[in-house]
Amino acid sequence: MLLLSGELIVGTAHSVVMLAPLSERDRGRFGSLFVTNYKLSFVPIDNSSNDEYGQRNQLVGTFDVPLTGVGAVWQTDGGPTRRRRLLPRSDVPSKLKGLQVVCKNMKVLTFNFENSRIGNGRKVAMALLHHAFPKRHDLLFAFDYREPYYPTLPSDLNMFQRPGDWKRELERCECPHWRITCINGTSDAFMLTAGETLIVPGSVLDYNLIEAARHFRSGRVPIWVWGRPEGAALLRSGELLPTEQSATAESVLLEQVRRSHPKLTPPRVLYVCGAAGAGASGGGAGAGGGPLGPLPPLAALDASYKKLAELCTPTTLADFWTQDSQYYSFLESSRWLRHVAACLAFADEAAEQLARNVSVVLQEGDGVDYSAVVSCLTQLLLDAHCRSLAGFQSLVQKEWLALGHPFCDRLGRPRPGSTKEDADKEPAAQTAPVFLLFLDCTWQLQRQFPAAFQFTETYLTTLWDCTHNHLFDTFLFNCPRDRELAVSKNFVQRPLWDWEEQFSEQDIALFYNPLFGQPAPSSRFSTGAARAGAGGAVAGAGGAGAGAGGRLQPCTSLAGVELWSQCYERWLPPLDAPRAGPVQYLLHHAALRAQIQKLNEKLSSLSILTRHSRADEGGEGGEGGEGGEAPPAVTRFYPFSARGGCAAPLDGMQLSLIDASLLLDSQSLLNAPD
Amino acid sequence: MDKHNSSELLNSDFSLSKNASSDSLDSDSKSSSLNSKHGQDSNHVLGDIQLLDGEKVMGVARDVTYLCPYSGPSRGVLKVTNYQLHFRPTEPTSLQTTLSVPLGVVSRIEKVGGASSKGENSYGIEVFCKDMRNLRFAHKQENHSRRGIFEKLQQLAFPLSHRQPLFAFSYSESFPEDGWNVYEPIAELRRMGVNNDMWRITRINDKYEICDSYPAVWAVPTAANDDLLRSVAAFRSRGRIPVLAWIHPSSQATITRCSQPLVGVSGKRSREDERYIQLIMDANAQAHKLFIMDARPSANAIANKAKGGGYESEDAYQNAELVFLDIHNIHVMRESLRKLKELCFPQIDQTRWFSGIEASCWLKHIKCILAGAVRIVDKVENHKTSVLVHCSDGWDRTAQLTALAMLMLDPYYRTLRGFQVLIEKEWLSFGHKFQLRIGHGDERHSDADRSPVFVQWVDCVWQLQQQFPTAFEFTERLLITIVDHLYSCRFGTFLFNTERERVKEEVKTKTVSLWSYINSRQNLYLNPLYWGPSSFSNNSPPSQYSRPQMVLVPVASLRIIKLWKALYCRWNPTMRQQDPIYQRTRELVALRAQLEAAAAAAAGDHAARQHRLALTPPRVASPHHV
């Protein structure tokens, strides 16, 4: 097993069987199970060529889980069926037969200790329960990781850490009527969970902001996040507090927003979530969200997600098929897709207003959750730059990190800065997969507009996996202030966006959508007909599925959204099948692009016409190039599935579990003549 | 809504005949909308009626209002021809354009409102369609236009009920290829290697005397003589004896199909039938067992005994194992699709979308059929065992299962041609009662024999396409076109119930085949991502990675089976696929073709000038990144 610098083994069990997912106790692999201060790691005795298949993380092995990715731990009787939840820091019986770990990315690992030395299983379980749920933030491994970091971030990535970064964004959006204030970086700071730089209407004074902030939750006055050269801007704010002057304070600020619009158009306030929605204030307010209504409180979102997770983590084949027989009821009762559709509806509504050159203020609770989701989606719909990989990462930096989405709270990690005692006293922070909701919505857009995004669903799924890898600082803090505090104590920042830290070139290539952008024929190649044809291709690609002005108009109906199969169902072997699924499109198109590139190269080399003749020619193999590059044969959940790990589910289970009479409305139909 | 048309732009260079472009149903999900003409042929006078060869305008009503559930009412002119119902708005907008509906899709027509009706647009007619939509028109009472149009529609939409011929017999367009030649039963059997030692071709049914719903040509075990066949026919419902559907090229395991045995309550047996089944088993040397897949739920199979039918008892049929596949009958399926329509049309019911899908059971039925076909495939492919498939009569569920299993087993049927052969063979020649199930030109809309059995099978094919995007030579668009013309009555292909009737009515000489039309414009239906046997390159060794998948085993799970929104929700403009993936693919494929041509030309050029090689030093080409 590979240990990182600073990583220590804290628990070991040998002769452990890792059961194949959704199998009974008869199938599995022998190996050793380790718990370190960074991860849970299973090392099989025998290597299988299948282990090389798919995505390989250089820091986390195929059978490793970073401790922050551990969701729930169960004690089992050795098989997958009977189980009892083990709570953090609880005691574990000495004769532990089996352990089941349900990861936050919905992977389920089941271990059997029956061949292991007595007590080994318990040791591992205790170590896991102790280290996977630390009480203090600075106990996370990132603080012990001693590897130096040399940043190689791409230059077009905007980290939104310094005032200059925001200036760049203002210039990119061509919004001259807004100004940068650094008041939030001084002792007068009023929006403690945001970074030091804020963008506000050009006419508003810092003093006004400080005054107004008292009337908004978490001091979240409306702040600029995006704008159009035509004048309309997108702002985010927190909910109004029920103070006497809050309505006045709001309308004063909204008036400043209006004045920042060259046409002096009053802004429209969208109440994304919260009590304010219905009764609230002034003109131009609207509930939005279409027929799906506003977004639910975070606790309800969390509950919704838990039901979804339950649906996606069956532990036995019997469970799997039972769920299958009532799949749509379960899907309905989780309501997750409703929330996804509602986010898209809000974003479409906001994009519609902005396209009409009306400024939009997204108002929500503390202004750090759903407003980030809707704001990001709105920008994805309107701003083609955000659909590039660098643009998307910049967007995450801006909306989620610089503006302080509380990742620790939402992902259920200890709060930075609070001591063990604090943690015991304070009420537990609300966990909720808000960022996942955003990734899911982004995936829906990708699916609806397959050529519009530079990145693939594999990228999004990987990003979700990485939010649970606490080696990187990107999703490690609640707000920029916490991060700065840690840095001042010699914490090494390690942005996630350096993908080479984790993945090979080959894996990173799968992050790029081959349908995005336009392939051009070689410029050296100049027969008229081909020019015209290529021109057509370029013209067609220019819109990349976007309507007028590059705006995407998604389908926001509940019937238009789907479950993100790759992210949620990739660990379910019965669903995996060779040459199946949308990943085939990706690989096929990638092969096409490669062929085009090869032909281009061939053409440019031919056009030189001066190369030595025969040997070269023959070597090219004539037309061999185009047929030869078959896309590799992969299974549905590539690059996440284990190849060959799935037996075709022909065991009749799927039929025997459907009671034929359930498919009937009434007996009379059964008895009708055939 | 420009984006919906962009897919058509690519196709604009295919020469569409004037008729093709006016056909509202020929297009894919994106444009096969109420506003189908929009964007297809802008040089035509917008919305002016385009008549097919043989089509005549039979009635016109002016000042009629079409009440579109999505874009609201629009006023215009309603025309009825012997083929279609045509509505042209007086002031066409991007949302309100021409509507053209073949009368074949009409299921029933009702008058709405009477002389006493008050309120705007409350007086008119409503047209209920077989393709999951209803159309409402409002007439002005004072114009007295309703009665005339209503009667014309009744007559022309239901010609058979008025002793008139279907439009297909008037339609006379000619196509470069005659689609009636697509399927030659002997040639198809030869392709599978019949005759061989074990199977022979027989013309015993040449006059359709043994079985009037079977084709003229059968393949049966060589060891079975004609007398035996006759005796077996007497023991099988409607004489539909077990005959060959498909034979595995290497293992010789077969799929055979038939109807239920006439067992009855008394449990009758037939030595001949038992011997014949044994011969089918013996024709496959690899296994000493035969699976009889009874498509029905066992309760239905038992119930059928009371009507003289039933199923094979394992006591009587040695070495046969009977499996019930639990697929419900035509009435259940009809009811299921009706519920689905309620959910999808006119408005998507978002409040109960998922529970509504569940309550309709449609996807569960699809799952059952897919799972049944997977079982057949598993036995044939993995266990080299022959399978006999039947239901009650062997023309509904049996056709679904055999055709689906063959599609999974044999890549030939996944080509554009092969798919046509499959439909001709398993559905048409083996007597799926299209006339009865669809009710072409028949006004008895509530006839209990109607059922979406074939559409359900097409849905299963679509599920396969979704699961294996590179396995089919054709796209979803072909499937939708087939469903459209299943109803349209423009082509003779899906008319009548049996081969015998089609021969008697001289369908092949008097009507045009749907395949003539489709094969004359096949570029519209080809899947640019197809990775089948033909895309094998001769000079690239077929490594295991590039070998196309010969057998498809779909996942029969509701997590993977999806609702075919492009078919069932297609009238709803908000539900259309926003940006069809194939558009970009076709661009890329076209670009590759250009580059290939250019490369070949340049290479030729190069070869020609080779002998006078320039002496200039070589330049270095910069790699060009795309």
Side-chain angles (χ1 to χ4, degrees), chain B residues 201-213:
Chain B
I201 293 173
T202 172
R203 293 181 178 278
I204 189 174
N205 200 38
D206 207 27
K207 299 268 185 298
Y208 306 102
E209 281 165 357
I210 307 275
C211 175
D212 63 359
S213 59

Side-chain angles (χ1 to χ4, degrees), chain A residues 215-228:
Chain A
H215 304 287
F216 286 86
R217 261 174 74 172
S218 304
R220 290 266 168 176
V221 295
I223 45 167
W224 181 98
V225 289
W226 185 81
R228 298 179 59 205

Side-chain angles (χ1 to χ4, degrees), chain B residues 521-536:
Chain B
R521 28 189 275 143
Q522 33 179 295
N523 282 326
L524 297 182
Y525 307 109
L526 292 179
N527 174 7
L529 293 172
Y530 179 52
W531 194 259
S534 64
S535 47
F536 263 112

Side-chain angles (χ1 to χ4, degrees), chain A residues 496-620:
Chain A
L496 181 64
W497 315 123
D498 249 340
W499 292 105
E500 290 81 7
E501 292 271 297
Q502 294 187 75
F503 300 107
S504 66
E505 214 174 290
Q506 225 179 336
D507 280 328
I508 291 175
L510 290 174
F511 294 169
Y512 288 87
N513 177 7
L515 284 175
F516 180 79
Q518 40 238 238
S522 164
S523 54
R524 290 164 190 272
F525 167 59
S526 58
T527 64
R531 262 276 155 79
V538 170
R551 177 183 161 198
L552 307 178
Q553 287 176 274
C555 171
T556 61
S557 160
L558 185 57
V561 298
E562 272 174 32
L563 192 75
W564 184 8
S565 187
Q566 187 195 55
C567 186
Y568 305 131
E569 298 178 326
R570 60 195 148 138
W571 316 115
L572 300 176
L575 298 184
D576 212 357
R579 287 199 171 268
V583 69
Q584 311 299 337
Y585 293 114
L586 173 71
L587 291 171
H588 197 101
H589 288 124
L592 251 177
R593 290 295 280 258
Q595 287 162 11
I596 287 170
Q597 173 164 0
K598 224 176 161 182
L599 281 164
N600 265 328
E601 283 165 10
K602 187 173 162 188
L603 266 176
S604 43
S605 71
L606 272 172
S607 74
I608 294 165
L609 280 185
T610 50
R611 298 296 281 257
H612 345 285
S613 51
R614 235 157 236 162
D616 235 19
E617 280 274 299
E620 292 280 334

Side-chain angles (χ1 to χ4, degrees), chain B residues 373-390:
Chain B
V374 165
R375 283 184 147 198
I376 297 170
V377 168
D378 178 47
K379 295 301 172 214
V380 171
E381 176 71 21
N382 300 334
H383 298 93
K384 300 182 173 158
T385 313
S386 294
V387 177
L388 173 67
V389 186
H390 71 71

Side-chain angles (χ1 to χ4, degrees), chain A residues 660-661 663-664 670 674, chain B residues 294-304 311 324-329 332 397:
Chain A
S661 62
L663 302 181
L664 289 171
L670 178 69
D674 275 316
Chain B
D294 189 327
R296 300 168 292 185
S298 61
N300 294 37
I302 293 165
N304 260 289
Y311 51 92
F324 292 106
L325 295 180
D326 285 335
I327 301 169
H328 282 286
N329 63 27
V332 178
R397 286 166 277 194

